[in-house]
Amino acid sequence: MALVSDLTTKVLFETEKGYSYQCDLTNSIIINFVDTVSSYKIHDFLIFQRKVNSVDILNMLYDLSDQSDAQLIETTKRNFSRNLTICEIVQLRDLLNGTKFTLTLHSLLCNTVNVELI
């Protein structure tokens, strides 16, 4: 139990439905979304983030058929496979975009500090 609390104290980004953190031991990004935990190498995380962002929410909203109420979202390595509603897709998109922003900001800050030290 202490191990889990130690890992979640280094949260990259958090929303009401989930959070993300970076695991230094495995060099991966861990996403906890609606009680589903999945782990990604940075390249796989970016692919997953782009895939979730590519879902056409407006088309799902305007389509009145029952099939458009949810969409199957899955990753290439089967880390995440769920049938998500429109609201869940928006919430997952928010979590992934916030995580990417945090990683990008951290990278920019590290590059700036390294340049100034040289």
Side-chain angles (χ1 to χ4, degrees):
M1 188 73 160
L3 180 62
V4 172
S5 65
D6 289 341
L7 291 175
T8 57
T9 58
K10 299 177 183 177
V11 172
L12 292 171
F13 192 77
E14 185 173 8
T15 65
E16 286 184 19
K17 296 294 182 176
Y19 58 90
S20 62
Y21 59 93
Q22 185 171 353
C23 179
D24 295 331
L25 295 175
T26 61
N27 198 23
S28 58
I29 307 297
I30 313 297
I31 303 292
N32 185 328
F33 179 72
V34 191
D35 299 326
T36 301
V37 179
S38 52
S39 173
Y40 305 93
K41 296 296 183 186
I42 190 67
H43 184 263
D44 296 328
F45 169 77
L46 294 173
I47 291 171
F48 182 51
Q49 188 248 350
R50 275 186 251 127
K51 183 174 189 169
V52 172
N53 282 339
S54 71
V55 174
D56 190 0
I57 299 291
L58 286 177
N59 188 34
M60 291 176 72
L61 287 171
Y62 289 121
D63 188 351
L64 299 177
S65 66
D66 290 338
Q67 294 86 0
S68 68
D69 291 342
Q71 183 168 344
L72 179 65
I73 304 290
E74 56 187 359
T75 60
T76 54
K77 295 185 179 178
R78 303 293 244 178
N79 293 346
F80 186 91
S81 180
R82 289 196 51 189
N83 207 15
L84 300 177
T85 64
I86 295 171
C87 290
E88 289 173 327
I89 292 171
V90 171
Q91 292 162 345
L92 179 59
R93 188 181 283 183
D94 184 37
L95 176 61
L96 297 177
N97 289 339
T99 301
K100 182 180 177 188
F101 173 78
T102 303
L103 292 170
T104 304
L105 180 62
H106 183 265
S107 177
L108 288 171
L109 291 173
C110 286
N111 287 340
T112 302
V113 169
N114 287 337
V115 168
E116 290 177 6
L117 291 177
I118 296 175

